[in-house]
Amino acid sequence: MEAKEAGSSLESIILSFNTQISDLQELIIARNMYPGSSIADLTAIDAAVKAMELQIQSIKDTVREESLALPKAKKLIEASLKQQKKLQEMAIHVPSHLTVKTMALQSDSNDHLQPDPSKDNNMSSLGSLKIDEEPAVLAKEKKGRGPPPLWYISGDELASLSSYMRGRLTLEKVNAAVTDMAAYAESTAQLISAPKKKLPESVWERALELRDIAMTEGVKGKHFFLESDIKGPSLKLDNTGKAILTVLRHLGRISEIRVGHNRVIILSKPQ
């Protein structure tokens, strides 16, 4: 019985010994297959793992910051929606094709309409005025004149007109015509105030004619243009254009006067 137990114990020791030898052989084989490079590979793997950990931490920080910013973003969106609603209400009374140049008519200073003091002094010293010089009285007339008025009509004003007068006119068409008329008046004012040396010879006679009209009773000190200046882009001398002029006269935006062979359209300022 004892001999049998001793044999079993010896077999167990031999088996354990053989197992250890097998493990050592596998380790030696593995070392010989990848000599030296295994350490560098492990180091690279470790660096890559650390870099991934840093990226994950950065992602967590970003998510946390975005989560904290959500309440502020919601308030900003609410404020933007309120502002958008206000702008939409304002846009109802402004034509969609309004350009930057046209809008500038309301904000431009009237420097281009101011007289040149040196010219006034020179003129006062002359015994008589030459035809190609600007009259001193015209220089005084230009002083203080502002930009042409852009007095758009509202939907209520258009609706208050009789259906016969209103016809198929829309708020957009009428206000686009108001924009055109302000541009015509601005061009007229520039011709009146421009010195001769800055105008082509072909335009100078027209400038003199406009200056004479500007000094006419009923036109003096006001922004105006001639009916012959009406050439679009929105206001034209067709049936629609004539209907628009009728509506604007009725609503007090313009008045008309005839000077010689010219029909003069005068812009009214808001009361």
Side-chain angles (χ1 to χ4, degrees), residues 75-106:
K75 291 182 179 180
L76 181 60
I77 291 173
E78 292 176 358
S80 299
L81 291 174
K82 291 180 180 179
Q83 184 67 18
Q84 182 184 24
K85 185 177 180 181
K86 290 181 180 179
L87 292 174
Q88 288 174 343
E89 293 174 352
M90 294 171 61
I92 294 175
H93 303 299
V94 179
S96 59
H97 74 287
L98 191 63
T99 62
V100 175
K101 181 178 179 181
T102 305
M103 294 175 67
L105 294 176
Q106 289 289 7

Side-chain angles (χ1 to χ4, degrees), residues 147-166:
L150 273 171
W151 191 9
Y152 297 116
I153 71 169
S154 66
D156 291 340
E157 285 180 303
L158 186 61
S160 68
L161 301 175
S162 64
S163 58
Y164 174 79
M165 181 180 295
R166 185 171 63 249

Side-chain angles (χ1 to χ4, degrees), residues 228-241:
S228 57
D229 295 331
I230 299 177
K231 297 177 181 178
S234 298
L235 180 61
K236 299 178 182 179
L237 282 178
D238 53 13
N239 291 334
T240 300

Side-chain angles (χ1 to χ4, degrees), residues 18-252:
N18 289 334
T19 300
Q20 291 181 5
I21 291 175
S22 177
D23 291 341
L24 288 173
Q25 287 175 341
E26 290 179 357
L27 290 172
I28 291 171
I29 292 171
R31 185 184 67 180
N32 292 334
M33 288 178 63
Y34 308 101
S37 63
S38 57
I39 295 176
D41 293 339
L42 290 173
T43 302
I45 292 172
D46 182 63
V49 171
K50 288 181 179 179
M52 291 179 65
E53 290 176 347
L54 291 174
Q55 290 180 353
I56 292 172
Q57 185 60 42
S58 176
I59 292 172
K60 289 181 178 179
D61 293 340
T62 301
V63 171
R64 184 174 61 255
E65 292 174 359
E66 294 294 334
S67 298
L68 294 175
L70 280 176
K72 295 181 180 179
K74 290 180 179 179
K75 291 182 179 180
L76 181 60
I77 291 173
E78 292 176 358
S80 299
L81 291 174
K82 291 180 180 179
Q83 184 67 18
Q84 182 184 24
K85 185 177 180 181
K86 290 181 180 179
L87 292 174
Q88 288 174 343
E89 293 174 352
M90 294 171 61
I92 294 175
H93 303 299
V94 179
S96 59
H97 74 287
L98 191 63
T99 62
V100 175
K101 181 178 179 181
T102 305
M103 294 175 67
L105 294 176
Q106 289 289 7
S107 58
D108 283 345
S109 64
N110 55 354
D111 291 342
H112 66 287
L113 296 174
Q114 297 296 331
D116 188 340
S118 62
K119 290 184 179 179
D120 289 343
N121 292 335
N122 292 337
M123 287 179 175
S124 62
S125 63
L126 297 176
S128 61
L129 293 173
K130 297 181 181 180
I131 191 170
D132 61 344
E133 293 178 341
E134 298 181 22
V137 65
L138 181 60
K140 292 180 181 179
E141 172 61 24
K142 292 185 293 181
K143 185 175 181 180
R145 186 186 298 174
L150 273 171
W151 191 9
Y152 297 116
I153 71 169
S154 66
D156 291 340
E157 285 180 303
L158 186 61
S160 68
L161 301 175
S162 64
S163 58
Y164 174 79
M165 181 180 295
R166 185 171 63 249
R168 296 183 179 181
L169 296 180
T170 63
L171 189 66
E172 178 77 11
K173 288 182 179 180
V174 178
N175 282 337
V178 172
T179 300
D180 280 1
M181 291 191 298
Y184 301 153
E186 176 66 14
S187 297
T188 300
Q190 290 178 359
L191 278 177
I192 291 174
S193 61
K196 182 179 180 181
K197 61 183 180 180
K198 292 186 178 181
L199 293 176
E201 190 65 28
S202 59
V203 181
W204 178 240
E205 291 185 4
R206 172 174 166 77
L208 291 177
E209 182 182 23
L210 290 174
R211 291 177 183 182
D212 290 339
I213 294 174
M215 297 307 300
T216 303
E217 190 66 29
V219 181
K220 183 187 296 185
K222 299 176 182 178
H223 287 283
F224 70 93
F225 61 93
L226 305 184
E227 186 183 57
S228 57
D229 295 331
I230 299 177
K231 297 177 181 178
S234 298
L235 180 61
K236 299 178 182 179
L237 282 178
D238 53 13
N239 291 334
T240 300
K242 293 176 182 178
I244 291 174
L245 292 176
T246 300
V247 166
L248 292 176
R249 278 197 304 269
H250 183 80
L251 294 176

